[in-house]
Amino acid sequence: MRSDVMKKGIEKAPHRSLFKAMGFTDEEIARPMVGIANSANEIVPGHIHLDRIAEAVKAGVRLAGGTPIEFNTIGVCDGIAMNHEGMKYSLCSRELIADSVEIMARAHPFDGLVAIPNCDKVVPGMLMALLRLDIPAVVVSGGPMLSGKVADKSIDLVSVFEGVGAVKSGKITEDQLAEMEDCACPGCGSCAGMFTANSMNCLTEALGLGLPGNGTIPAVAAARYRLAKRAGMQIMELIAQNITPRQIATREAFENAIAIDMALGCSTNTVLHVPAIAHEAQIDLDLDIFNEISARIPHLCSLSPAGPHHLEDLDAAGGVQAVLARLAEADLINKSTLSVTAKSVGENLQGVLVKNSEVIRNIQEAYHAEGGIAILFGGLAPEGAVVKQSAVAPEMMVNEGTARVFDCEEDAVEAIMGQQIKEGDVVVVRYEGPKGGPGMREMLTPTSAIAGMGLDTKVALITDGRFSGGTKGAAIGHISPEAADGGPIALVEEGDRIEINIPAKRLELKVSEEEIKRRRESWRPPEPRIKEGYAYRYSRMVTSGAKGAVFREDI
């Protein structure tokens, strides 16, 4: 056992003494030791109940003959951090989470790990750590929040963000917004639509590192606690067979995960996180693979914010396994890849049925022939940009507009809320990338304001920052190179014409090469916005969004 190096032999008597100081018996010390990486806290709705999930995991470990040992990581609530300086620290937290789990598991050599994340950066951060460590591991998330209700209408957090814009434009009253505020988030769990947290939890299941049900079983369901117990029991089987994450998360498994990404219409943030996770598995995934897989995987599920369904609807329809089964019928996934069940994907899918063909459509009646995400290239994005094409109105798929240029999110929001943005404008928000922000802020406030004001079929927004999975409309993010690195987005001026062609995967600035050259000669890198602490260090180490915003390896 890996844990023997800290507990076995006469030389480890002092170590055993320290375990006994915490109440461990000789019998517990002798058993396989399982680290429980828990991100429970009291500031994130998706994490408020993870103490109970951890207790269920620990019960499962003990049932299967192991000794669970819990430790904690940090976690940021992106919704609460939105639209102020706090959001600069959200993406940054992913690297800290990965590093902290690695540190705990190397300092205390556990025989296996169970990771308990639930929200946006915590899921990929823990996955990065598990692949870096490559010891037996399983992920069990806290599960999605139920949708809220106003009268007979299902709503969620994005409904409230969009409600702010609706109030500003006179579409609803402040009293109606207050009712939405009270009802949209009815309890614990990751926010109810196919936003980043739920996207990553579903992709974890498709990747094979979470048990069936991990992505969709509601947080409040007893089935979620049974799943947690099974995860605790299953880690003991993985330890016994020495099945490790890199045996599971192969290139073919990542392709399966991207296929699910496309079929579900997941968050554009998956384009940041999936390559970063693959990087830890020593697998190089460039952005072209997203377009390649999108071209052959139809969009089968229309989930909030782009559609009417929520995670509880997807779960009732059969969940991620049913979507995999639908794709497997058409030979669109690799069924031979391994999972934490210690079985292949194909074996897991035996007997799996789609229970609602409106929530999970068949291939012939797909919502869109292509997958949910597209990568755009062109003069404005030489290294790529990302759009959730399944959430873009047909009339905005090909569009040319006038640039309205803002050097930070706050200025853009002020203009949008002040009704200074008009039909045909392209809002450009720059110096918000991984380095320039720093931290590549998520911009649900401006995109939701545009949607809430009824402009999402008339106005596009492009940025070197990123968007929430709750974003809909022609919102194009991750533009690389970013403005702080002198990318073309830094050279855009008010009134320029910008051409967007999503079917052709193009994003162009309609300015002559001579004019671009003149502007570049006068451009100077900006001073860092934060000059101390972690965010400053992060800005000096981080790569571009096109590379997953991982740390440079030459540091």
Side-chain angles (χ1 to χ4, degrees):
M1 292 190 293
R2 290 175 178 85
S3 61
D4 284 349
V5 300
M6 64 176 172
K7 68 183 186 183
K8 190 173 183 179
I10 190 169
E11 300 87 352
K12 299 303 187 296
H15 303 63
R16 293 192 295 273
S17 181
L18 290 168
F19 277 108
K20 290 178 179 180
M22 296 179 283
F24 288 95
T25 65
D26 286 326
E27 291 80 5
E28 288 174 302
I29 294 170
R31 293 171 182 167
M33 290 187 165
V34 178
I36 312 296
N38 188 4
S39 56
N41 61 46
E42 295 183 346
I43 191 65
V44 185
H47 294 203
I48 193 70
H49 65 306
L50 295 189
D51 54 344
R52 287 172 282 158
I53 296 291
E55 288 303 319
V57 170
K58 289 189 281 188
V61 171
R62 293 188 185 105
L63 281 168
T67 297
I69 303 175
E70 183 180 352
F71 63 91
N72 288 86
T73 69
I74 61 170
V76 171
C77 178
D78 278 23
I80 295 172
M82 196 73 65
N83 193 227
H84 58 84
E85 187 180 56
M87 183 50 75
K88 294 178 185 288
Y89 292 85
S90 175
L91 181 59
C92 299
S93 73
R94 185 188 72 183
E95 317 309 309
L96 280 177
I97 290 161
D99 290 351
S100 67
V101 174
E102 178 195 6
I103 285 169
M104 291 298 287
R106 293 205 192 278
H108 318 99
F110 299 114
D111 297 297
L113 285 169
V114 179
I116 308 176
N118 211 31
C119 287
D120 294 28
K121 311 310 166 303
V122 188
V123 181
M126 287 195 176
L127 286 170
M128 288 164 70
L130 300 186
L131 284 161
R132 188 183 301 170
L133 290 160
D134 200 33
I135 65 173
V138 62
V139 177
V140 58
S141 76
M145 186 184 293
L146 296 176
S147 59
K149 298 283 186 195
V150 169
D152 61 347
K153 182 182 178 183
S154 293
I155 63 171
D156 52 45
L157 178 66
V158 170
S159 308
V160 188
F161 271 98
E162 293 180 357
V164 175
V167 169
K168 293 286 185 179
S169 61
K171 295 180 181 296
I172 65 171
T173 66
E174 289 189 32
D175 286 343
Q176 288 173 304
L177 178 61
E179 183 181 12
M180 293 168 64
E181 176 186 326
D182 287 344
C183 300
C185 299
C188 65
S190 47
C191 296
M194 190 49 77
F195 314 145
T196 305
N198 290 324
S199 295
M200 290 309 304
N201 283 327
C202 288
L203 264 59
T204 299
E205 184 177 336
L207 187 60
L209 292 173
L211 291 171
N214 179 73
T216 59
I217 296 173
V220 296
R224 174 60 55 178
Y225 294 91
R226 296 197 298 271
L227 182 74
K229 287 181 182 177
R230 287 199 295 273
M233 298 171 72
Q234 189 60 25
I235 187 60
M236 298 302 295
E237 182 64 25
L238 296 174
I239 291 169
Q241 296 191 40
N242 195 30
I243 295 174
T244 66
R246 291 190 193 177
Q247 296 171 38
I248 294 169
T250 60
R251 184 175 186 86
E252 293 75 17
F254 276 102
E255 290 176 359
N256 282 349
I258 296 172
I260 283 293
D261 190 347
M262 297 304 167
L264 292 176
C266 288
S267 165
T268 53
N269 282 318
T270 60
V271 180
L272 272 180
H273 299 317
V274 171
I277 296 162
H279 177 75
E280 298 291 349
Q282 301 180 0
I283 296 169
D284 182 29
L285 292 181
D286 60 33
L287 294 186
D288 289 329
I289 194 170
F290 287 87
N291 279 344
E292 291 168 12
I293 294 176
S294 180
R296 62 182 176 82
I297 301 295
H299 176 218
L300 301 180
C301 302
S302 187
L303 299 156
S304 174
H309 302 131
H310 289 86
L311 266 290
E312 67 247 40
D313 303 312
L314 179 58
D315 186 63
V320 172
Q321 297 299 305
V323 182
L324 283 168
R326 191 74 97 189
L327 296 177
E329 290 171 2
D331 200 28
L332 292 172
I333 61 164
N334 189 314
K335 293 184 285 186
S336 67
T337 60
L338 187 62
S339 82
V340 289
T341 62
K343 299 176 182 178
S344 70
V345 168
E347 289 173 309
N348 290 341
L349 294 178
Q350 290 180 11
V352 172
L353 300 173
V354 174
K355 300 174 184 177
N356 185 326
S357 289
E358 181 59 25
V359 176
I360 305 172
R361 289 194 172 182
N362 61 46
I363 303 294
Q364 294 73 29
E365 297 177 320
Y367 286 98
H368 301 96
E370 286 192 4
I373 288 174
I375 310 299
L376 311 185
F377 295 93
L380 251 181
E383 295 177 5
V386 185
V387 64
K388 190 173 185 176
Q389 63 179 348
S390 60
V392 179
E395 58 266 42
M396 293 295 287
M397 294 293 282
V398 178
N399 177 46
E400 183 177 315
T402 302
R404 301 295 309 280
V405 183
F406 305 93
D407 286 349
C408 67
E409 178 190 359
E410 288 84 355
D411 290 350
V413 170
E414 183 178 354
I416 295 165
M417 296 295 193
Q419 301 188 48
Q420 298 172 30
I421 303 302
K422 307 300 181 187
E423 181 177 345
D425 286 346
V426 178
V427 178
V428 179
V429 188
R430 63 189 180 190
Y431 296 106
E432 290 286 6
K435 176 180 177 180
M440 205 177 187
R441 282 195 288 183
E442 195 169 86
M443 299 186 200
L444 184 55
T445 298
T447 56
S448 295
I450 287 170
M453 297 170 93
L455 294 173
D456 55 311
T457 59
K458 302 168 184 174
V459 170
L461 192 154
I462 70 173
T463 181
D464 54 3
R466 61 194 178 88
F467 300 115
S468 164
T471 294
K472 63 182 179 181
I476 300 167
H478 306 202
I479 290 177
S480 299
E482 63 175 286
D485 276 336
I489 191 172
L491 308 178
V492 180
E493 292 184 358
E494 190 85 5
D496 285 349
R497 299 293 288 176
I498 291 174
E499 182 181 0
I500 299 167
N501 190 325
I502 295 173
K505 312 295 189 287
R506 302 300 296 174
L507 181 63
E508 303 287 356
L509 176 62
K510 303 192 77 175
V511 173
S512 70
E513 290 184 13
E514 293 79 8
E515 176 62 16
I516 291 292
K517 182 179 179 181
R518 185 191 67 78
R519 294 179 188 180
R520 184 168 297 285
E521 288 173 351
S522 62
W523 179 83
R524 296 292 179 271
E527 285 290 312
R529 285 174 168 165
I530 296 177
K531 299 181 180 181
E532 61 183 8
Y534 178 63
Y536 174 72
R537 296 195 303 274
Y538 178 89
S539 73
R540 311 301 289 181
M541 297 187 290
V542 70
T543 61
S544 76
K547 296 181 179 179
V550 298
F551 283 160
R552 289 169 27 217
E553 293 187 349
D554 59 350
I555 295 296

